[in-house]
Amino acid sequence: MTDNKPQGLSSVLSRRNLMQAVAGLGVASMAGCSGLNGGGDGGGGAVDPVQDRVTVDPENIQEGGTFKTAIGANPDTFDFPESSSATASILHNLLFEGMVTTSASGELYPWLAESYEQVDVQDVSAGDYTDYMTTVSYAETDDGAVYIDTEKQIVVESPDNPDSPSAGDEAQVLTVDEAGDAVADGTYGMHFQFQLHEGIQFHNDEELTAPNVVASYGRIENSTLSGQVFDSLLHISADGDYTVDLYVQEPDAAAIRELGGLPVYPSEITDNVPLGNMDPRQGNTPLGTGMFELAEFQNEEYALFAKNDNYWFDTEMKDWFDGPSEFPNGPVVDEVDIAIISSDSQRAGALQSGEIDMTFGLTASTLTNYRESEDYRTAPTNGAGYTFLQFPVEVEPWTNAKLRRAANKLIPRQSISENIFQGWEKPAWVPLPPLAAGTGSTDYEAMVEDLKSYNTYEPEAAAELADEAAGEIDVEFPIEVTLETNSDNDDRVRTVELIAESMSQEINGTQYFDVSVNTKEFLTFVSQLLSQDYWDQGKLAFIGLSGGFNPHGYAKSVHSPENFAQCCNFQNIDFPELNEAMRQARYGVEVAQDPQLRRERYEEVWELILELNGNSYGTHSTLVGVVNNDVKGFNTYPSTQDIVGYAMYNPTDQQITYLDR
């Protein structure tokens, strides 16, 4: 492409996506946000992020029992494409599986697929699809938002579309209806082919076939997560019963990770259940191929999962499995009982009283107490996420980058890490968590050393930047600021209060910011963040993102206009220079085939992000599961989304949890 416009869904939404966004779109994978951009370029990481991993001798495994845990929020929906909640994903990952899976270090393995291969790669970009595009008009909502007036999922936009369209202007777009024609003519960026295992059964005993995969991917169209899929996916088709052909818009270093692991459902779902309705609250039982089935669900109280007695997996089916022959072919517990308890202190109390076997998301002081107890084990893992503060970059005076950097210089990250998190979480000196260092940097420690100065606490430097900003824009000090976060996370509230206090300090006799804190219940806060009008309210939002092994997700989720009103661009951030830098780090034949070049380009992205400062970063997460002594073999996955499913069973790491009682 010749301009700075990201490919896929643009900042101008289709009519259906716009109306979904206006309606509130469920919750984001926030405090966890991101969801799909959870992988690398196929290589994954090389270092196990699990600290002090425990292993299990298969001869000691005891089968049976109910593993009891708790999550902090009610699931927004069991229907994966309409969910962007990290806690909901915990439930999804017990039920649904994809063609590929990962280890805790991000290595990719064929799963529902017996094998997969990259068939070819071609130097194709958005302009090459022009001959297949259709013409549609722009329209405008009552509040002035301009959108592309089509019900179809947009796959690619023409680079010649107007940068600042008005209602009545025309746009050229490739939708899902035309994408197959381009593929038939040989116009695509990459082609992957997956060979499915034969004989895999869904929970309803239907056999998994390639048409199930195609129909399941179709459920992503115009969904909450569409922007995280159709920035890459061009077309998917079945070749017989067990071969899936997946085509990518242009050479994409993250394609296999982003697209290969999406959940697959039986035709009972794809043929009969509308998007958003695969949920017991809508009268429909969610169905997949997973190791557990949903046995019972009481809204806002609990979800009970029963082991899938007809689970398809066998270690002998996988050439990559190098564990002992005695290793189980599925989970060994009979049930997983997940309570819904929003208060972290109540979850800690439930663990102490024996009501549950494991919990996570506890305050740092509570974790420290558990670490010192002989009756429990803390299982820390380097996390796949960070906390971040997002500025209203389209609202004066926050349009000025120097003012944003001034506020950033007043965030006491080291103090937050030491005093609030007691060392459990580390300062986020750069936007990339260590988990993705192998794919997003050439030398992570050297990069941190080079870029750390952007994020060090320096009141004098903050004052200098604020004074420079005042010379460029019309502003009077102190600037009144409202800083918002979710109320159900005590450490997060304490963090925001400390940031507010620090920003409100006087520096050399001048108070530059006057900050007040506003907290809201998590789901309420998230629904407001995802609305289309949060960006112009002038508030600063502080929340967490849960990602994965793909460096692109940590940049794109919080900056790309494709993610506006989705996870996690709430403030309508759209920096053309950064958009293009992100594209150059992910798309194109060179980066798709040269991981070293990709890492170099991402280092340029991180520095540009810190220079523009549309987001400020707090701490890099450490995910800590706490278990009682009845639980054996538990290790914590690096992202919240799979903290339960991974622990129950993941043969890529020979991971298995059993109960000794």
PDB file of all heavy atoms in Angstrom, residues 181-196:
ATOM      1  N   ASP A 181     -13.491 -14.940  -5.325  1.00  0.00           N
ATOM      2  CA  ASP A 181     -13.162 -14.721  -6.738  1.00  0.00           C
ATOM      3  C   ASP A 181     -11.688 -14.350  -6.897  1.00  0.00           C
ATOM      4  O   ASP A 181     -11.029 -14.800  -7.842  1.00  0.00           O
ATOM      5  CB  ASP A 181     -14.042 -13.609  -7.318  1.00  0.00           C
ATOM      6  CG  ASP A 181     -15.518 -13.984  -7.340  1.00  0.00           C
ATOM      7  OD1 ASP A 181     -15.815 -15.197  -7.405  1.00  0.00           O
ATOM      8  OD2 ASP A 181     -16.366 -13.076  -7.293  1.00  0.00           O
ATOM      9  N   ALA A 182     -11.192 -13.520  -5.987  1.00  0.00           N
ATOM     10  CA  ALA A 182      -9.775 -13.151  -6.044  1.00  0.00           C
ATOM     11  C   ALA A 182      -8.894 -14.378  -5.856  1.00  0.00           C
ATOM     12  O   ALA A 182      -7.909 -14.578  -6.585  1.00  0.00           O
ATOM     13  CB  ALA A 182      -9.476 -12.096  -4.982  1.00  0.00           C
ATOM     14  N   VAL A 183      -9.245 -15.212  -4.888  1.00  0.00           N
ATOM     15  CA  VAL A 183      -8.462 -16.427  -4.638  1.00  0.00           C
ATOM     16  C   VAL A 183      -8.485 -17.345  -5.856  1.00  0.00           C
ATOM     17  O   VAL A 183      -7.458 -17.917  -6.253  1.00  0.00           O
ATOM     18  CB  VAL A 183      -8.998 -17.151  -3.388  1.00  0.00           C
ATOM     19  CG1 VAL A 183      -8.399 -18.553  -3.273  1.00  0.00           C
ATOM     20  CG2 VAL A 183      -8.692 -16.355  -2.128  1.00  0.00           C
ATOM     21  N   ALA A 184      -9.654 -17.483  -6.471  1.00  0.00           N
ATOM     22  CA  ALA A 184      -9.776 -18.358  -7.643  1.00  0.00           C
ATOM     23  C   ALA A 184      -8.869 -17.910  -8.782  1.00  0.00           C
ATOM     24  O   ALA A 184      -8.386 -18.737  -9.570  1.00  0.00           O
ATOM     25  CB  ALA A 184     -11.230 -18.403  -8.104  1.00  0.00           C
ATOM     26  N   ASP A 185      -8.613 -16.605  -8.847  1.00  0.00           N
ATOM     27  CA  ASP A 185      -7.720 -16.070  -9.882  1.00  0.00           C
ATOM     28  C   ASP A 185      -6.261 -16.041  -9.450  1.00  0.00           C
ATOM     29  O   ASP A 185      -5.401 -15.542 -10.183  1.00  0.00           O
ATOM     30  CB  ASP A 185      -8.164 -14.646 -10.259  1.00  0.00           C
ATOM     31  CG  ASP A 185      -9.450 -14.638 -11.074  1.00  0.00           C
ATOM     32  OD1 ASP A 185      -9.840 -15.711 -11.571  1.00  0.00           O
ATOM     33  OD2 ASP A 185     -10.055 -13.558 -11.201  1.00  0.00           O
ATOM     34  N   GLY A 186      -5.978 -16.528  -8.244  1.00  0.00           N
ATOM     35  CA  GLY A 186      -4.599 -16.569  -7.775  1.00  0.00           C
ATOM     36  C   GLY A 186      -4.131 -15.292  -7.111  1.00  0.00           C
ATOM     37  O   GLY A 186      -2.921 -15.092  -6.935  1.00  0.00           O
ATOM     38  N   THR A 187      -5.073 -14.430  -6.717  1.00  0.00           N
ATOM     39  CA  THR A 187      -4.713 -13.181  -6.046  1.00  0.00           C
ATOM     40  C   THR A 187      -4.890 -13.351  -4.545  1.00  0.00           C
ATOM     41  O   THR A 187      -6.012 -13.366  -4.034  1.00  0.00           O
ATOM     42  CB  THR A 187      -5.576 -12.013  -6.562  1.00  0.00           C
ATOM     43  OG1 THR A 187      -5.426 -11.913  -7.976  1.00  0.00           O
ATOM     44  CG2 THR A 187      -5.150 -10.704  -5.912  1.00  0.00           C
ATOM     45  N   TYR A 188      -3.797 -13.515  -3.842  1.00  0.00           N
ATOM     46  CA  TYR A 188      -3.790 -13.638  -2.383  1.00  0.00           C
ATOM     47  C   TYR A 188      -2.358 -13.462  -1.913  1.00  0.00           C
ATOM     48  O   TYR A 188      -1.412 -13.568  -2.696  1.00  0.00           O
ATOM     49  CB  TYR A 188      -4.347 -14.991  -1.922  1.00  0.00           C
ATOM     50  CG  TYR A 188      -3.669 -16.186  -2.550  1.00  0.00           C
ATOM     51  CD1 TYR A 188      -2.457 -16.680  -2.064  1.00  0.00           C
ATOM     52  CD2 TYR A 188      -4.249 -16.833  -3.640  1.00  0.00           C
ATOM     53  CE1 TYR A 188      -1.830 -17.765  -2.640  1.00  0.00           C
ATOM     54  CE2 TYR A 188      -3.628 -17.925  -4.241  1.00  0.00           C
ATOM     55  CZ  TYR A 188      -2.423 -18.386  -3.741  1.00  0.00           C
ATOM     56  OH  TYR A 188      -1.801 -19.460  -4.316  1.00  0.00           O
ATOM     57  N   GLY A 189      -2.199 -13.201  -0.626  1.00  0.00           N
ATOM     58  CA  GLY A 189      -0.867 -12.995  -0.088  1.00  0.00           C
ATOM     59  C   GLY A 189      -0.181 -14.267   0.355  1.00  0.00           C
ATOM     60  O   GLY A 189       0.995 -14.488   0.076  1.00  0.00           O
ATOM     61  N   MET A 190      -0.924 -15.120   1.068  1.00  0.00           N
ATOM     62  CA  MET A 190      -0.354 -16.374   1.563  1.00  0.00           C
ATOM     63  C   MET A 190      -1.428 -17.453   1.481  1.00  0.00           C
ATOM     64  O   MET A 190      -2.625 -17.170   1.559  1.00  0.00           O
ATOM     65  CB  MET A 190       0.124 -16.237   3.021  1.00  0.00           C
ATOM     66  CG  MET A 190       1.163 -15.159   3.250  1.00  0.00           C
ATOM     67  SD  MET A 190       1.660 -15.001   4.998  1.00  0.00           S
ATOM     68  CE  MET A 190       2.860 -16.318   5.137  1.00  0.00           C
ATOM     69  N   HIS A 191      -0.978 -18.687   1.372  1.00  0.00           N
ATOM     70  CA  HIS A 191      -1.875 -19.840   1.344  1.00  0.00           C
ATOM     71  C   HIS A 191      -1.354 -20.872   2.328  1.00  0.00           C
ATOM     72  O   HIS A 191      -0.216 -21.322   2.229  1.00  0.00           O
ATOM     73  CB  HIS A 191      -1.932 -20.416  -0.078  1.00  0.00           C
ATOM     74  CG  HIS A 191      -2.735 -21.683  -0.203  1.00  0.00           C
ATOM     75  ND1 HIS A 191      -2.593 -22.547  -1.270  1.00  0.00           N
ATOM     76  CD2 HIS A 191      -3.683 -22.235   0.594  1.00  0.00           C
ATOM     77  CE1 HIS A 191      -3.418 -23.565  -1.125  1.00  0.00           C
ATOM     78  NE2 HIS A 191      -4.086 -23.407   0.000  1.00  0.00           N
ATOM     79  N   PHE A 192      -2.198 -21.209   3.302  1.00  0.00           N
ATOM     80  CA  PHE A 192      -1.893 -22.267   4.257  1.00  0.00           C
ATOM     81  C   PHE A 192      -2.876 -23.412   4.045  1.00  0.00           C
ATOM     82  O   PHE A 192      -4.059 -23.186   3.762  1.00  0.00           O
ATOM     83  CB  PHE A 192      -2.016 -21.769   5.702  1.00  0.00           C
ATOM     84  CG  PHE A 192      -0.983 -20.754   6.093  1.00  0.00           C
ATOM     85  CD1 PHE A 192      -1.244 -19.403   5.983  1.00  0.00           C
ATOM     86  CD2 PHE A 192       0.252 -21.156   6.579  1.00  0.00           C
ATOM     87  CE1 PHE A 192      -0.303 -18.459   6.348  1.00  0.00           C
ATOM     88  CE2 PHE A 192       1.208 -20.223   6.939  1.00  0.00           C
ATOM     89  CZ  PHE A 192       0.933 -18.869   6.829  1.00  0.00           C
ATOM     90  N   GLN A 193      -2.389 -24.624   4.213  1.00  0.00           N
ATOM     91  CA  GLN A 193      -3.259 -25.791   4.089  1.00  0.00           C
ATOM     92  C   GLN A 193      -3.159 -26.641   5.350  1.00  0.00           C
ATOM     93  O   GLN A 193      -2.054 -26.935   5.836  1.00  0.00           O
ATOM     94  CB  GLN A 193      -2.885 -26.625   2.864  1.00  0.00           C
ATOM     95  CG  GLN A 193      -3.895 -27.706   2.532  1.00  0.00           C
ATOM     96  CD  GLN A 193      -3.645 -28.304   1.157  1.00  0.00           C
ATOM     97  OE1 GLN A 193      -2.802 -29.197   1.025  1.00  0.00           O
ATOM     98  NE2 GLN A 193      -4.369 -27.836   0.143  1.00  0.00           N
ATOM     99  N   PHE A 194      -4.313 -26.999   5.885  1.00  0.00           N
ATOM    100  CA  PHE A 194      -4.411 -27.796   7.110  1.00  0.00           C
ATOM    101  C   PHE A 194      -5.045 -29.143   6.776  1.00  0.00           C
ATOM    102  O   PHE A 194      -6.074 -29.201   6.095  1.00  0.00           O
ATOM    103  CB  PHE A 194      -5.283 -27.083   8.152  1.00  0.00           C
ATOM    104  CG  PHE A 194      -4.754 -25.749   8.598  1.00  0.00           C
ATOM    105  CD1 PHE A 194      -4.953 -24.614   7.829  1.00  0.00           C
ATOM    106  CD2 PHE A 194      -4.074 -25.630   9.793  1.00  0.00           C
ATOM    107  CE1 PHE A 194      -4.482 -23.373   8.239  1.00  0.00           C
ATOM    108  CE2 PHE A 194      -3.594 -24.404  10.220  1.00  0.00           C
ATOM    109  CZ  PHE A 194      -3.800 -23.276   9.430  1.00  0.00           C
ATOM    110  N   GLN A 195      -4.438 -30.214   7.280  1.00  0.00           N
ATOM    111  CA  GLN A 195      -5.004 -31.550   7.154  1.00  0.00           C
ATOM    112  C   GLN A 195      -5.578 -31.953   8.513  1.00  0.00           C
ATOM    113  O   GLN A 195      -4.835 -32.109   9.479  1.00  0.00           O
ATOM    114  CB  GLN A 195      -3.939 -32.554   6.709  1.00  0.00           C
ATOM    115  CG  GLN A 195      -3.295 -32.244   5.378  1.00  0.00           C
ATOM    116  CD  GLN A 195      -4.276 -32.313   4.218  1.00  0.00           C
ATOM    117  OE1 GLN A 195      -5.259 -33.063   4.262  1.00  0.00           O
ATOM    118  NE2 GLN A 195      -4.014 -31.544   3.171  1.00  0.00           N
ATOM    119  N   LEU A 196      -6.895 -32.097   8.581  1.00  0.00           N
ATOM    120  CA  LEU A 196      -7.553 -32.413   9.844  1.00  0.00           C
ATOM    121  C   LEU A 196      -7.424 -33.898  10.177  1.00  0.00           C
ATOM    122  O   LEU A 196      -7.382 -34.748   9.279  1.00  0.00           O
ATOM    123  CB  LEU A 196      -9.037 -32.052   9.782  1.00  0.00           C
ATOM    124  CG  LEU A 196      -9.398 -30.600   9.464  1.00  0.00           C
ATOM    125  CD1 LEU A 196     -10.914 -30.449   9.387  1.00  0.00           C
ATOM    126  CD2 LEU A 196      -8.811 -29.651  10.501  1.00  0.00           C
TER     127      LEU A 196
END
